[in-house]
Amino acid sequence: MSTTSGLPNGVVVISPPEGAPCPPQTLGLWRHYNCGGEAYGIGAGHNVDLSRLPLPGGGSMARNVSSWVNLTDTDAKLISRSGTRILPAGEKLEEPKEHNDTVERVEWVL
């Protein structure tokens, strides 16, 4: 896990390396199912536009997330063009087919 200049406040790089775990008190988001591929962590309370999280070779994490792990104490809002879903604190989510690669922004239930 590392911080990278240019990322929004409250965001850290989880992966690479492949298979790195989600840090405590962080919402982890992975590009692929089973927490695989590129990954970032967002600290609770930090609203983040996923287009600001770059992918190697171009593109961003916006509409490119398949796995989520919410290790915070706060429910996360997963926001897409089709609506907002809640990922409760302490829960994991493998995106169902109809929601895979749709989330564009993360906010928090306060």
Side-chain angles (χ1 to χ4, degrees):
M1 176 184 70
S2 67
T3 58
T4 303
S5 84
L7 291 177
N9 288 337
V11 175
V12 296
V13 175
I14 296 175
S15 180
E18 183 79 23
C22 184
Q25 296 303 312
T26 302
L27 171 67
L29 50 144
W30 283 261
R31 186 175 188 185
H32 302 302
Y33 284 111
N34 300 311
C35 299
E38 296 83 0
Y40 288 93
I42 302 173
H46 293 275
N47 297 332
V48 176
D49 178 345
L50 300 187
S51 69
R52 297 199 51 215
L53 308 182
L55 289 172
S60 72
M61 291 297 277
R63 297 182 302 279
N64 277 311
V65 178
S66 296
S67 296
W68 303 87
V69 176
N70 188 353
L71 295 184
T72 74
D73 297 325
T74 307
D75 295 347
K77 296 180 184 180
L78 309 180
I79 302 169
S80 68
R81 291 179 186 166
S82 61
T84 299
R85 295 174 294 133
I86 303 298
L87 180 59
E91 297 288 321
K92 297 170 82 174
L93 174 67
E94 297 292 326
E95 287 285 11
K97 184 178 179 181
E98 66 272 16
H99 293 293
N100 188 39
D101 294 342
T102 62
V103 176
E104 298 174 331
R105 184 169 177 80
V106 170
E107 295 184 1
W108 299 87
V109 176
L110 299 177

